[in-house]
Amino acid sequence: MKKLFIDLEKCYKCKKCTAKCNYYYHPDNNGYVRLLALAAQEHVCRRCDNAPCVASCPWEALEKREDGMLDRHSMRCTSCKSCTVSCPFGVIYPEIVEYKTTMCDYCFDRSDNNVPPICVTTCKENALEWTEVKEDPSKEIYAVRGGKYFVYTVKWKKDK
């Protein structure tokens, strides 16, 4: 079964994103930005013990779960970007901390008919693909949100 595959390394190098989104509920949506944020939370965040990003948020919009993952409460976030400044590793990119929340429905209307999501066909950097993919950490390919989509990213590895 084909899934959305995002090469995060290409995305982060892109200066001007051209990928479009056809999310039904509001036309100015950029659902892929939400996907980037979720992928970064799962696979790029270094899960600091003291989480300065959480402590810096004046609106308590970031919360660290017991498993170390961050939850961002979009209704509290004002996109002040204090979390991006306080992250000692610079892995919270300002572009993915939007004020207006975006969503992605994985283009269920298109993907059910085996038609790639519109973000895939409009990304000029070929950072997005619609392909058969499975998680393979040896190739730096990781599932996000339980396999709803996959990303390629070079993960930081903690020294032992």
Side-chain angles (χ1 to χ4, degrees):
M1 179 177 201
K2 290 186 176 182
K3 296 281 184 168
L4 181 63
F5 176 73
I6 305 171
D7 185 330
L8 291 180
E9 303 303 316
K10 284 183 182 176
C11 270
Y12 292 147
K13 291 176 186 170
C14 182
K15 302 291 184 215
K16 178 79 175 156
C17 185
T18 58
K20 298 193 180 323
C21 181
N22 70 343
Y23 184 66
Y24 178 78
Y25 293 104
H26 56 92
D28 296 330
N29 189 64
N30 290 325
Y32 57 90
V33 173
R34 177 77 174 150
L35 298 178
L36 295 177
L38 293 173
Q41 287 173 339
E42 279 192 39
H43 296 291
V44 180
C45 174
R46 295 189 182 179
R47 298 185 171 92
C48 300
D49 290 337
N50 61 358
C53 58
V54 172
S56 71
C57 182
W59 306 108
E60 299 179 354
L62 282 177
E63 187 175 346
K64 187 175 176 183
R65 300 189 322 215
E66 285 188 24
D67 63 0
M69 289 275 299
L70 292 176
D71 279 334
R72 179 177 166 229
H73 301 282
S74 298
M75 295 299 285
R76 297 181 196 161
C77 180
T78 61
S79 190
C80 69
K81 314 241 188 291
S82 58
C83 57
T84 67
V85 173
S86 67
C87 176
F89 302 104
V91 297
I92 302 176
Y93 301 103
E95 298 81 24
I96 61 174
V97 184
E98 295 182 311
Y99 175 66
K100 185 177 176 182
T101 301
T102 58
M103 292 301 292
C104 176
D105 62 3
Y106 309 100
C107 283
F108 69 89
D109 57 332
R110 297 169 61 98
S111 60
D112 285 351
N113 297 315
N114 208 22
V115 176
I118 196 162
C119 59
V120 171
T121 60
T122 57
C123 173
K124 292 181 180 175
E125 298 298 322
N126 297 318
L128 306 169
E129 295 179 43
W130 179 245
T131 186
E132 301 280 339
V133 62
K134 61 181 180 180
E135 189 166 53
D136 186 349
S138 70
K139 294 179 181 174
E140 307 282 6
I141 296 173
Y142 303 96
V144 182
R145 295 290 162 152
K148 287 189 175 183
Y149 64 103
F150 293 81
V151 295
Y152 167 79
T153 188
V154 179
K155 284 181 105 169
W156 172 78
K157 295 182 176 59
K158 196 174 204 173
D159 291 337
K160 294 185 179 185

